[in-house]
mmCIF file of all heavy atoms in Angstrom:
data_model
loop_
_atom_site.group_PDB
_atom_site.id
_atom_site.type_symbol
_atom_site.label_atom_id
_atom_site.label_comp_id
_atom_site.label_asym_id
_atom_site.label_seq_id
_atom_site.Cartn_x
_atom_site.Cartn_y
_atom_site.Cartn_z
ATOM 1 N N LEU I 42 2.199 21.508 -2.966
ATOM 2 C CA LEU I 42 1.594 20.323 -3.555
ATOM 3 C C LEU I 42 2.566 19.110 -3.318
ATOM 4 O O LEU I 42 2.410 18.051 -4.000
ATOM 5 C CB LEU I 42 1.236 20.463 -4.948
ATOM 6 C CG LEU I 42 -0.178 20.986 -5.244
ATOM 7 C CD1 LEU I 42 -0.309 22.427 -4.778
ATOM 8 C CD2 LEU I 42 -0.443 20.946 -6.687
ATOM 9 N N ARG I 45 -1.115 16.709 -1.556
ATOM 10 C CA ARG I 45 -2.229 17.316 -2.282
ATOM 11 C C ARG I 45 -3.372 16.336 -2.526
ATOM 12 O O ARG I 45 -3.300 15.203 -2.112
ATOM 13 C CB ARG I 45 -1.746 17.917 -3.638
ATOM 14 C CG ARG I 45 -0.647 17.256 -4.428
ATOM 15 C CD ARG I 45 -1.049 15.983 -5.110
ATOM 16 N NE ARG I 45 -2.335 15.993 -5.781
ATOM 17 C CZ ARG I 45 -2.981 15.006 -6.022
ATOM 18 N NH1 ARG I 45 -2.649 13.746 -5.679
ATOM 19 N NH2 ARG I 45 -4.128 15.063 -6.629
ATOM 20 N N GLY I 46 -4.443 16.859 -3.023
ATOM 21 C CA GLY I 46 -5.603 16.097 -3.142
ATOM 22 C C GLY I 46 -6.582 16.426 -1.959
ATOM 23 O O GLY I 46 -6.073 16.420 -0.873
ATOM 24 N N ALA I 47 -7.849 16.697 -2.249
ATOM 25 C CA ALA I 47 -8.673 17.245 -1.194
ATOM 26 C C ALA I 47 -8.770 16.529 0.109
ATOM 27 O O ALA I 47 -8.453 17.073 1.092
ATOM 28 C CB ALA I 47 -10.084 17.448 -1.768
ATOM 29 N N PRO I 48 -9.004 15.201 0.129
ATOM 30 C CA PRO I 48 -9.120 14.570 1.444
ATOM 31 C C PRO I 48 -7.756 14.511 2.093
ATOM 32 O O PRO I 48 -7.627 14.512 3.362
ATOM 33 C CB PRO I 48 -9.592 13.075 1.097
ATOM 34 C CG PRO I 48 -10.376 13.286 -0.225
ATOM 35 C CD PRO I 48 -9.592 14.352 -0.956
ATOM 36 N N ILE I 50 -5.316 16.641 1.838
ATOM 37 C CA ILE I 50 -5.076 17.984 2.353
ATOM 38 C C ILE I 50 -5.771 18.098 3.699
ATOM 39 O O ILE I 50 -5.275 18.713 4.620
ATOM 40 C CB ILE I 50 -5.499 19.121 1.324
ATOM 41 C CG1 ILE I 50 -4.664 19.133 0.116
ATOM 42 C CG2 ILE I 50 -5.579 20.444 2.029
ATOM 43 C CD1 ILE I 50 -5.168 20.049 -1.071
ATOM 44 N N ARG I 87 -4.165 26.744 1.225
ATOM 45 C CA ARG I 87 -4.849 26.564 -0.033
ATOM 46 C C ARG I 87 -6.291 26.918 0.090
ATOM 47 O O ARG I 87 -6.915 26.456 0.970
ATOM 48 C CB ARG I 87 -4.545 25.124 -0.567
ATOM 49 C CG ARG I 87 -3.221 24.879 -1.050
ATOM 50 C CD ARG I 87 -2.979 23.546 -1.842
ATOM 51 N NE ARG I 87 -3.352 23.771 -3.240
ATOM 52 C CZ ARG I 87 -3.566 22.792 -4.087
ATOM 53 N NH1 ARG I 87 -3.284 21.553 -3.714
ATOM 54 N NH2 ARG I 87 -3.919 22.986 -5.389
ATOM 55 N N CYS I 165 -6.787 14.292 -13.186
ATOM 56 C CA CYS I 165 -5.952 14.576 -12.018
ATOM 57 C C CYS I 165 -5.708 13.226 -11.266
ATOM 58 O O CYS I 165 -5.703 12.189 -11.914
ATOM 59 C CB CYS I 165 -6.594 15.630 -11.145
ATOM 60 S SG CYS I 165 -5.566 16.341 -9.952
ATOM 61 N N ASN I 166 -5.457 13.348 -9.923
ATOM 62 C CA ASN I 166 -5.259 12.091 -9.207
ATOM 63 C C ASN I 166 -6.140 12.150 -7.990
ATOM 64 O O ASN I 166 -6.213 13.076 -7.232
ATOM 65 C CB ASN I 166 -3.768 12.065 -8.704
ATOM 66 C CG ASN I 166 -3.531 10.886 -7.782
ATOM 67 O OD1 ASN I 166 -3.656 11.112 -6.475
ATOM 68 N ND2 ASN I 166 -3.480 9.737 -8.265
ATOM 69 N N THR I 167 -6.824 10.958 -7.884
ATOM 70 C CA THR I 167 -7.883 10.853 -6.849
ATOM 71 C C THR I 167 -7.705 9.580 -6.107
ATOM 72 O O THR I 167 -8.664 9.020 -5.452
ATOM 73 C CB THR I 167 -9.320 10.896 -7.490
ATOM 74 O OG1 THR I 167 -9.375 9.705 -8.382
ATOM 75 C CG2 THR I 167 -9.631 12.166 -8.199
ATOM 76 N N ALA I 171 -4.087 10.939 -3.036
ATOM 77 C CA ALA I 171 -4.937 12.146 -2.768
ATOM 78 C C ALA I 171 -5.872 11.951 -1.584
ATOM 79 O O ALA I 171 -6.523 12.961 -1.194
ATOM 80 C CB ALA I 171 -5.800 12.377 -4.036
ATOM 81 N N CYS I 172 -6.001 10.704 -1.148
ATOM 82 C CA CYS I 172 -7.176 10.439 -0.238
ATOM 83 C C CYS I 172 -6.871 9.591 0.995
ATOM 84 O O CYS I 172 -7.807 9.258 1.725
ATOM 85 C CB CYS I 172 -8.199 9.674 -1.034
ATOM 86 S SG CYS I 172 -8.854 10.525 -2.418
ATOM 87 N N THR I 177 -11.133 8.211 -4.253
ATOM 88 C CA THR I 177 -12.456 8.513 -4.542
ATOM 89 C C THR I 177 -12.840 8.056 -5.890
ATOM 90 O O THR I 177 -13.219 6.846 -6.071
ATOM 91 C CB THR I 177 -12.773 10.017 -4.279
ATOM 92 O OG1 THR I 177 -11.841 10.717 -5.096
ATOM 93 C CG2 THR I 177 -12.618 10.385 -2.847
ATOM 94 N N GLN I 204 -0.676 15.773 -12.487
ATOM 95 C CA GLN I 204 -1.051 14.799 -11.430
ATOM 96 C C GLN I 204 -1.592 13.581 -12.116
ATOM 97 O O GLN I 204 -1.509 12.349 -11.620
ATOM 98 C CB GLN I 204 -2.149 15.346 -10.483
ATOM 99 C CG GLN I 204 -1.668 16.484 -9.631
ATOM 100 C CD GLN I 204 -1.836 17.794 -10.160
ATOM 101 O OE1 GLN I 204 -1.684 18.075 -11.394
ATOM 102 N NE2 GLN I 204 -1.982 18.737 -9.411
ATOM 103 N N GLY I 243 -12.798 13.314 -9.094
ATOM 104 C CA GLY I 243 -12.963 13.741 -7.705
ATOM 105 C C GLY I 243 -13.480 15.169 -7.678
ATOM 106 O O GLY I 243 -13.941 15.700 -8.691
ATOM 107 N N ALA I 244 -13.324 15.793 -6.486
ATOM 108 C CA ALA I 244 -13.776 17.122 -6.253
ATOM 109 C C ALA I 244 -12.998 17.774 -5.227
ATOM 110 O O ALA I 244 -12.543 17.060 -4.294
ATOM 111 C CB ALA I 244 -15.325 17.139 -5.924
ATOM 112 N N ASP I 245 -12.948 19.054 -5.279
ATOM 113 C CA ASP I 245 -12.311 19.898 -4.177
ATOM 114 C C ASP I 245 -13.327 20.622 -3.367
ATOM 115 O O ASP I 245 -13.082 20.943 -2.203
ATOM 116 C CB ASP I 245 -11.231 20.874 -4.746
ATOM 117 C CG ASP I 245 -10.070 20.097 -5.167
ATOM 118 O OD1 ASP I 245 -10.049 19.543 -6.317
ATOM 119 O OD2 ASP I 245 -9.100 19.973 -4.342
ATOM 120 N N ASN I 255 -13.081 21.245 -9.305
ATOM 121 C CA ASN I 255 -11.998 20.169 -9.393
ATOM 122 C C ASN I 255 -10.883 20.738 -10.278
ATOM 123 O O ASN I 255 -10.987 21.775 -10.848
ATOM 124 C CB ASN I 255 -12.681 18.838 -9.896
ATOM 125 C CG ASN I 255 -11.683 17.792 -9.717
ATOM 126 O OD1 ASN I 255 -11.162 17.517 -8.630
ATOM 127 N ND2 ASN I 255 -11.443 16.994 -10.741
ATOM 128 N N LYS I 256 -9.871 19.815 -10.421
ATOM 129 C CA LYS I 256 -8.667 20.321 -11.093
ATOM 130 C C LYS I 256 -8.989 20.908 -12.496
ATOM 131 O O LYS I 256 -9.893 20.334 -13.222
ATOM 132 C CB LYS I 256 -7.730 19.069 -11.307
ATOM 133 C CG LYS I 256 -6.505 19.331 -11.996
ATOM 134 C CD LYS I 256 -5.641 20.326 -11.482
ATOM 135 C CE LYS I 256 -5.317 20.241 -9.985
ATOM 136 N NZ LYS I 256 -4.813 21.578 -9.425
ATOM 137 N N PHE I 322 -8.119 25.360 -10.589
ATOM 138 C CA PHE I 322 -9.354 24.566 -10.639
ATOM 139 C C PHE I 322 -10.392 25.254 -11.403
ATOM 140 O O PHE I 322 -10.241 26.431 -11.895
ATOM 141 C CB PHE I 322 -9.914 24.554 -9.142
ATOM 142 C CG PHE I 322 -8.994 23.844 -8.134
ATOM 143 C CD1 PHE I 322 -8.167 24.686 -7.369
ATOM 144 C CD2 PHE I 322 -9.000 22.485 -7.968
ATOM 145 C CE1 PHE I 322 -7.196 24.026 -6.524
ATOM 146 C CE2 PHE I 322 -8.077 21.913 -7.148
ATOM 147 C CZ PHE I 322 -7.211 22.667 -6.421
HETATM 148 O O1 MRU R 1 -4.078 20.722 -6.808
HETATM 149 P P1 MRU R 1 -4.295 19.282 -6.403
HETATM 150 O O2 MRU R 1 -3.475 18.288 -6.914
HETATM 151 O O3 MRU R 1 -4.579 19.174 -4.870
HETATM 152 O O4 MRU R 1 -5.807 18.905 -7.034
HETATM 153 C C1 MRU R 1 -6.419 17.810 -6.777
HETATM 154 C C2 MRU R 1 -7.664 17.551 -7.461
HETATM 155 O O5 MRU R 1 -8.188 18.491 -8.108
HETATM 156 C C3 MRU R 1 -8.468 16.314 -7.162
HETATM 157 O O6 MRU R 1 -9.082 15.849 -8.286
HETATM 158 C C4 MRU R 1 -9.369 16.501 -5.999
HETATM 159 O O7 MRU R 1 -8.676 17.072 -4.937
HETATM 160 C C5 MRU R 1 -10.023 15.346 -5.688
HETATM 161 S S1 MRU R 1 -8.961 14.224 -4.708
HETATM 162 C C6 MRU R 1 -9.842 12.912 -4.397
#
Side-chain angles (χ1 to χ4, degrees):
L42 274 63
R45 33 72 45 207
I50 290 172
R87 286 192 81 188
C165 195
N166 171 264
T167 61
C172 298
T177 52
Q204 291 92 330
D245 286 82
N255 192 50
K256 180 52 55 197
F322 300 96

